[in-house]
Structures are given as C-alpha cells and as structure tokens.
Amino acid sequence: ADMVTPSVASLSLEEPWVDILPAIIEAGDGLAVGELLHGEKFSLHEAMSALEMMDPQMDSGMEGGAEAEAVPAWDSEAVRPLWPGDLSARETIGVMDELLAKLSLFFQGHSLVHTIFTCAWAHKPEVVQCPILRTFVLGALRAADVALTSVARANVYDEEDFVTSTAGLSLGDEVGDAELAALFASAHAALDHFSAS
C-alpha cells in the first residue's frame, strides 16, 4: 500500500489523537532479532546516535528522581566565582596548548562538541580577560569555521566521517576578518613587549 505523509500545514490540533501503539507492537511482532523498522531518511548517523527510550542512562527525558541534581550553566552566577580571573603565563600557555590539541582533533574529523567546545571559554570568548588568550580562542574558532565550511561546501564527506553540527554555538563569525587581524596584531605586539622585558 502506498504511504502518504501529511505535510505539517495539513495537520490540525483539533483532529483527534490516534493511539499508534497497537500498530507499532504489531509491526514489531513481525520482526526477527536484528531487524529494524525505520523511515526512508534513516541513516547510519541516526543509528549510531540512537538511544533506548525509557532507559534513565540514555533517555534525557527520563526524570532521575531524588538522585538527579541540577547542574548550573557554566556561565551562571553560581559557577562564575570558580573561574580564574587572571591566569599566569604558564596557565595561559597550558590553555592554548590544550585548545590547539583540540583543534587538531577537530581537523582529524572529531566533532566540535568533543573537541574545541570542551573548552568553556570557546563558548563565550568575550568573557576571557586575557586579550592574548581571547584572540587565540577566537582564532581557533575561526580556523574550525573555515575547515567546517570548506568541507561542507565541497561535499566530500559522509555523515559518519565528519560531523558538521556546531550544537548551536558560534564559531567566532561575529568577529570580522579585519577585526580578528587587528586582534592578532595587538596580541603579537603584546607578546613582543613581554619578550623584550
């Protein structure tokens, strides 16, 4: 039988809801172990990202009960006092080295969420107090943006090989090329000043 998929515009909230659980159970009863019932656009990426519904460890929609504890946002007032105000030169270089390693991992095909965005300052570089570190973070974000845009435009990847999602976070595109070049020139001058003294 031909299956007709209704458009979103044709759906109405006034239409009665239909319980489809019996149809799902019936379809599931006809499947052998290892078989999968899926829609036309189901892909390997969705299969790898699938989760088991109603499993508290996998389903973020499940309420964790008494043991569940709200985690404050990284930039909330509760967490802000834990952020270092001024980093030493050694700490700044450590952050830069770690971010450079994360950028390298991203260039190898790992997702932004598991690489660059593990650095909290990459989420909001404008909060970084050290101008040299802020410039470095913005540069890393823009380098990732150039790589991501280039790969996406060339369309030379399979969805399981390269993750193009930015998870809704910015890659520094709010800073123009001229402004970024000026920030780098300023950071370079500051480093020259430090090395001369």
Side-chain angles (χ1 to χ4, degrees), residues 79-98:
V79 176
R80 174 77 55 203
L82 303 175
W83 280 50
D86 293 319
L87 297 176
S88 68
R90 179 182 296 268
E91 291 168 328
T92 301
I93 291 169
V95 172
M96 294 167 114
D97 185 53
E98 185 68 24

Side-chain angles (χ1 to χ4, degrees), residues 12 26 42 62 80 99 101 104 112 135 142 169 171 176 182 195-196:
S12 169
E26 182 182 340
F42 187 79
M62 289 287 298
R80 174 77 55 203
L99 191 55
S104 176
L112 284 166
T135 302
R142 290 296 295 278
L169 297 168
L171 288 175
S195 64

